[in-house]
């Protein structure tokens, strides 16, 4: 299209140009626009995602001493060191415990809250606002407040005391520290999953419940046989989001427990941070990054495969 | 399950909702009230649900101990720049992937989508090295350009693409018949229609930037460049113990403004994010 063509002249002059059509056809211009539009995102993905991913593989094959300024190829030494790392068991155990605990607590609580809010009750908007509000509160601020509440003489034990229960020192106990981190994180983000469940619940046709009621099915049975299967795509989606998110937990650990007591809350990303940025073992940090990547990838693929088995329908 | 409930069932449901609300409301309440108490009263037993001698001393000390005003400005301007930048990048790319046909489109889209699978923690070591070589450590650049162009904006691009796909073809055809070029069609027709998606992307991008913690502590070292989450953890005494009244005052000032905005605009927030989650 030659929209800028404002020549005033004989129209017959054109065919004289012969078969040479203008290079910038509207189709070509459209293609060019397409490339221009995706360029910022594409360059960003290459420079800040793909290239660093290649570099992290490269770094993991090197011993990197920042202070001495050396960068030596060591082959698979870092991977062998990883396999022999005495902390690895504890780190993987903490990571797994956190993920499993968070998914169970977060999804269970989200579903419970969504079902409660899906009833014909006044004030559900107010409660929805309350349950959702921690999502928008700054993560570190939320964690600091819980750290304050969970101290030995903090608010939680104060509340328990008034009920005559002697609470433990939550953040300093081997067993209770992990539990505390999971609970703090679950309350922070459960609102997001709750909203997704609520939207899914509202999509379940009421006739199904009416029919089941006539057949004399109990509420519990209706929930198991109708609600859960019909919202299973949302359960899959939220579980993927929650599992992948749980593997990235860092601020909560850094603020609440610093990985302790012992290594009981040293999850993978916290360990990666310690190795790379506190002990300056960049090569080893890169190796841990790759382990994190492989775990995230494997879990995502696994959950995607599992959808065939337990997701009722896909739209 | 929206069926009419008996009186008894209603009472049971309200009771359950009220009990469940405690861990969501109590922390914020305890944060704000404790920040107004003298240190001695913070751990008083029995706990004071309302401060007996309220005072603003901790709020004054927040600004004395750290350049808190500057840190506030840092967080705010970084989050705003990242939000506007992400909107621009993701709207353009999302539109092109949804509505323009060009060679290699699917392959390029796959390259971009890879960012969804790779947590930013995986790439933090090489990103640190890249910015170190560029001399950009202890500047705000890594906190701005990586979110706008890198992995965090990929989700935004995906959401925008899903939205643009759902626009009816007739709208654009009409625009083309009227002589609008591609950019004008995008800018004057598609973009104004995509407000709900832009709103959702803006909200989660802002919150994501506002909450970042690992990246700031890796990339920044001077207190006057810190962002709020990072600054909050720095209010410690000579022995490394937290100065609770000051930490809670700073945490209140960080959390409350966003909370107030949320309560006013909660419908847009909740529905925007629900929409995003379902589509994404």
């Amino acid at each position: 299209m030659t929209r800028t063509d404002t020549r005033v002249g004989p129209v017959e002059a054109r065919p004289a140009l012969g078969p040479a059509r203008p290079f910038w056809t509207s189709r070509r211009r459209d293609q060019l626009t397409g490339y221009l539009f995706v360029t910022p995102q594409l360059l960003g993905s290459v420079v800040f995602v793909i290239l660093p991913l290649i570099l992290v593989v490269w770094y993991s094959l090197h011993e990197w001493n920042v202070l001495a300024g050396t960068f030596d190829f060591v082959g698979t030494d870092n991977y062998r060191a990883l396999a022999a790392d005495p902390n690895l068991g504890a780190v993987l155990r903490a990571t797994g415990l956190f993920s499993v605990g968070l998914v169970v607590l977060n999804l269970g609580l989200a579903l419970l809250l969504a079902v409660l809010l899906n009833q014909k009750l006044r004030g559900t908007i107010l409660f929805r606002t309350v349950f959702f509000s921690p999502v928008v509160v700054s993560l570190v601020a939320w964690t600091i407040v819980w750290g304050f509440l969970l101290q030995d003489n903090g608010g939680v034990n104060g509340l328990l005391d008034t009920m005559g229960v002697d609470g433990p020192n939550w953040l300093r106990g081997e067993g209770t520290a992990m539990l505390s981190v999971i609970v703090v994180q679950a309350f922070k983000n459960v609102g997001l999953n709750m909203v997704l469940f609520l939207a899914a619940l509202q999509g379940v046709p009421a006739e199904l419940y009416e029919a089941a009621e006539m057949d004399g099915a109990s509420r519990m049975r209706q929930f198991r046989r109708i609600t859960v299967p019909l919202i299973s795509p949302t359960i899959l989606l939220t579980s993927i989001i929650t599992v992948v998110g749980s593997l990235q937990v860092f601020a909560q650990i850094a603020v609440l427990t610093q990985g302790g007591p012992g290594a009981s809350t040293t999850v993978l990303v916290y360990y990666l941070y310690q190795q790379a940025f506190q002990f300056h073992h960049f090569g080893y940090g890169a190796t841990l990054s790759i382990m994190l990547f492989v775990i995230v990838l494997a879990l995502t693929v696994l959950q995607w495969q599992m959808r065939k088995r337990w997701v009722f329908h896909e739209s | 399950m929206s069926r009419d409930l008996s009186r008894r069932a209603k009472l049971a449901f309200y009771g359950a909702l009220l009990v469940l609300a405690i861990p969501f409301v109590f922390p914020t309440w305890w944060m704000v009230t404790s920040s107004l108490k003298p240190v001695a009263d913070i751990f008083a037993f029995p706990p004071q649900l309302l401060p007996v001698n309220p005072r603003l001393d901790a709020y004054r000390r927040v600004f004395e101990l750290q350049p808190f005003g500057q840190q506030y400005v840092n967080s705010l301007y970084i989050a705003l720049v990242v939000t506007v930048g992400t909107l621009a990048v993701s709207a353009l790319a999302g539109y092109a992937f949804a509505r323009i046909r060009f060679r290699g489109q699917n392959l390029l889209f796959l390259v971009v989508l890879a960012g969804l699978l790779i947590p930013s923690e995986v790439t933090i070591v090489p990103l640190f090295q890249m910015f170190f070589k560029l001399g950009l450590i202890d500047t705000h650049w890594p906190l701005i350009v990586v979110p706008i162009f890198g992995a965090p904006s990929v989700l935004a691009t995906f959401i925008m693409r899903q939205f643009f796909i759902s626009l009816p073809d007739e709208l654009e055809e009409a625009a083309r018949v009227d002589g609008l070029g591609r950019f004008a069609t995008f800018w004057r027709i598609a973009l104004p229609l995509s407000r709900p998606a832009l709103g959702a992307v803006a909200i989660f991008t802002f919150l994501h930037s506002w909450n970042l913690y690992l990246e700031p502590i890796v990339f920044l070292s001077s207190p006057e460049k810190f962002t709020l989450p990072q600054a909050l953890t720095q209010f410690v005494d000579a022995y490394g113990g937290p100065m609770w009244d000051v930490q809670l005052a700073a945490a209140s000032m960080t959390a409350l403004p966003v909370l107030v905005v949320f309560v006013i605009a909660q419908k847009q927030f909740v529905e925007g994010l629900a929409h995003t989650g379902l589509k994404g």
Side-chain angles (χ1 to χ4, degrees):
Chain A
M1 296 266 274
T2 46
R3 213 142 269 296
T4 48
D5 187 353
T6 51
R7 279 178 307 167
V8 186
V11 183
E12 306 87 83
R14 277 216 140 163
L17 290 170
R21 295 180 50 215
F23 180 75
W24 286 114
T25 58
S26 75
R27 166 113 191 88
R28 280 221 165 90
R29 277 170 45 142
D30 214 34
Q31 287 225 357
L32 180 72
T33 316
Y35 291 122
L36 286 178
F37 274 25
V38 300
T39 298
Q41 174 74 93
L42 200 64
L43 271 182
S45 283
V46 170
V47 175
F48 296 128
V49 182
I50 310 281
L51 178 67
L53 190 66
I54 296 167
L55 283 176
V56 89
V57 176
W58 180 241
Y59 290 171
S60 75
L61 304 173
H62 289 77
E63 175 69 59
W64 190 330
N65 191 326
V66 177
L67 298 176
T70 56
F71 183 67
D72 302 317
F73 185 82
V74 294
T76 55
D77 276 10
N78 281 323
Y79 291 90
R80 256 175 266 151
L82 178 67
D85 190 336
N87 296 318
L88 185 67
V91 168
L92 288 180
R93 186 168 165 274
T95 311
L97 262 180
F98 181 80
S99 292
V100 172
L102 184 68
V103 169
V104 171
L105 187 62
N106 189 326
L107 294 194
L109 192 60
L111 195 53
L112 173 68
L113 294 176
V115 168
L116 286 174
L117 291 184
N118 198 34
Q119 308 297 328
K120 273 191 181 164
L121 287 172
R122 278 170 192 278
T124 47
I125 297 271
L126 175 71
F127 280 107
R128 189 185 72 176
T129 310
V130 164
F131 297 138
F132 194 85
S133 60
V135 173
V136 303
V137 170
S138 161
L139 173 61
V140 170
W142 174 259
T143 311
I144 282 178
V145 176
W146 275 95
F148 171 63
L149 287 170
L150 288 167
Q151 291 174 89
D152 205 11
N153 52 352
V156 170
N157 281 350
L159 274 184
L160 286 176
D161 249 339
T162 55
M163 290 183 271
V165 182
D166 191 15
N169 190 350
W170 298 95
L171 298 172
R172 299 274 174 271
E174 287 265 352
T176 53
M178 179 55 84
L179 180 70
S180 306
V181 181
I182 292 172
V183 168
V184 171
Q185 174 64 5
F187 286 130
K188 170 79 172 79
N189 273 342
V190 72
L192 222 48
N193 286 342
M194 173 194 79
V195 168
L196 296 180
F197 280 139
L198 205 49
L201 287 176
Q202 277 156 5
V204 179
E207 303 89 67
L208 287 177
Y209 293 118
E210 282 157 22
E213 201 123 305
M214 274 196 263
D215 291 345
S218 70
R219 267 179 178 264
M220 209 46 223
R221 204 178 153 78
Q222 290 175 33
F223 181 74
R224 278 214 326 271
R225 291 297 176 83
I226 300 173
T227 313
V228 172
L230 280 171
I231 65 167
S232 55
T234 306
I235 297 179
L236 175 75
L237 176 78
T238 50
S239 67
I240 293 180
I241 297 174
T242 310
V243 169
V244 173
S246 75
L247 290 168
Q248 292 165 265
V249 63
F250 173 76
Q252 299 86 322
I253 304 285
V255 173
L256 280 180
T257 64
Q258 290 89 47
S264 62
T265 58
T266 305
V267 295
L268 192 47
V269 172
Y270 191 74
Y271 192 54
L272 192 169
Y273 170 78
Q274 282 186 318
Q275 289 295 331
F277 298 105
Q278 289 187 330
F279 309 146
H280 299 292
H281 296 160
F282 284 110
Y284 196 57
T287 312
L288 290 168
S289 305
I290 288 179
M291 187 163 78
L292 174 68
F293 176 57
V294 170
I295 293 175
V296 168
L297 200 64
L299 280 175
T300 312
V301 171
L302 182 74
Q303 275 172 316
W304 199 244
Q305 290 298 317
M306 269 165 44
R307 85 191 191 281
K308 292 184 192 112
R309 254 201 248 154
W310 56 279
V311 171
F312 179 70
H313 71 126
E314 286 187 282
S315 46
Chain B
M1 272 210 279
S2 304
R3 281 156 294 168
D4 288 315
L5 299 164
S6 67
R7 264 184 87 84
R8 206 198 241 163
K10 265 188 187 168
L11 271 178
F13 278 123
Y14 277 125
L17 283 170
L18 278 174
V19 171
L20 285 166
I22 293 172
F24 294 85
V25 178
F26 184 66
T28 310
W29 175 263
W30 204 238
M31 167 179 78
V32 178
T33 54
S34 299
S35 71
L36 297 167
K37 294 174 192 168
V39 187
D41 287 4
I42 284 182
F43 296 107
F45 192 85
Q48 306 172 352
L49 279 181
L50 279 170
V52 180
N53 317 299
R55 50 190 216 150
L56 290 167
D57 183 52
Y59 286 83
R60 187 175 50 78
R61 280 162 60 218
V62 168
F63 292 91
E64 286 173 5
L65 293 163
Q66 280 195 77
F68 195 70
Q70 180 63 46
Q71 292 161 343
Y72 220 105
V73 171
N74 294 344
S75 268
L76 204 58
Y77 102 81
I78 290 173
L80 287 176
V81 170
V82 166
T83 303
V84 172
T86 302
L87 287 177
V89 167
S90 65
L92 284 172
Y95 179 83
F97 282 127
R99 304 211 70 100
I100 305 179
R101 296 281 145 265
F102 49 92
R103 203 170 299 179
Q105 185 167 33
N106 290 336
L107 179 72
L108 295 184
F109 189 54
L110 276 180
V111 170
V112 169
L113 275 190
L116 281 182
L117 267 180
I118 302 165
S120 53
E121 291 78 5
V122 170
T123 50
I124 188 98
V125 170
L127 284 177
F128 177 81
Q129 294 302 333
M130 281 165 63
F131 285 106
F132 181 75
K133 290 208 173 109
L134 293 170
L136 293 176
I137 295 301
D138 205 26
T139 72
H140 290 149
W141 284 105
L143 304 179
I144 291 174
V145 293
V146 175
I148 292 180
F149 298 100
S153 76
V154 171
L155 181 61
T157 293
F158 186 69
I159 290 164
M160 292 312 295
R161 173 179 174 269
Q162 295 306 93
F163 184 86
F164 285 127
I165 280 177
S166 69
L167 285 184
D169 288 334
E170 294 77 32
L171 279 171
E172 296 210 320
E173 277 159 28
R176 220 158 307 152
V177 170
D178 286 348
L180 289 187
R182 257 305 172 182
F183 188 79
T185 312
F186 162 75
W187 184 251
R188 291 171 42 187
I189 311 287
L191 205 58
L193 286 171
S194 69
R195 266 213 179 118
L198 289 172
V201 168
I203 289 169
F204 86 72
T205 307
F206 186 91
L207 288 178
H208 183 262
S209 173
W210 189 253
N211 272 328
L212 274 191
Y213 183 66
L214 175 63
E215 286 81 355
I217 68 170
V218 165
F219 290 122
L220 303 178
S221 51
S222 325
E224 70 274 9
K225 291 181 183 144
F226 282 1
T227 60
L228 285 176
Q230 191 181 10
L232 289 183
T233 58
Q234 305 290 316
F235 294 105
V236 288
D237 59 28
Y239 307 99
M243 306 163 78
W244 281 116
D245 52 341
V246 184
Q247 276 205 353
L248 293 171
S252 300
M253 283 189 273
T254 306
L256 285 179
V258 187
L259 204 57
V260 169
V261 172
F262 163 69
V263 170
I264 295 167
Q266 59 93 18
K267 203 166 157 355
Q268 284 77 358
F269 262 78
V270 175
E271 276 154 24
L273 288 171
H275 178 81
T276 324
L278 286 176
K279 297 252 163 172

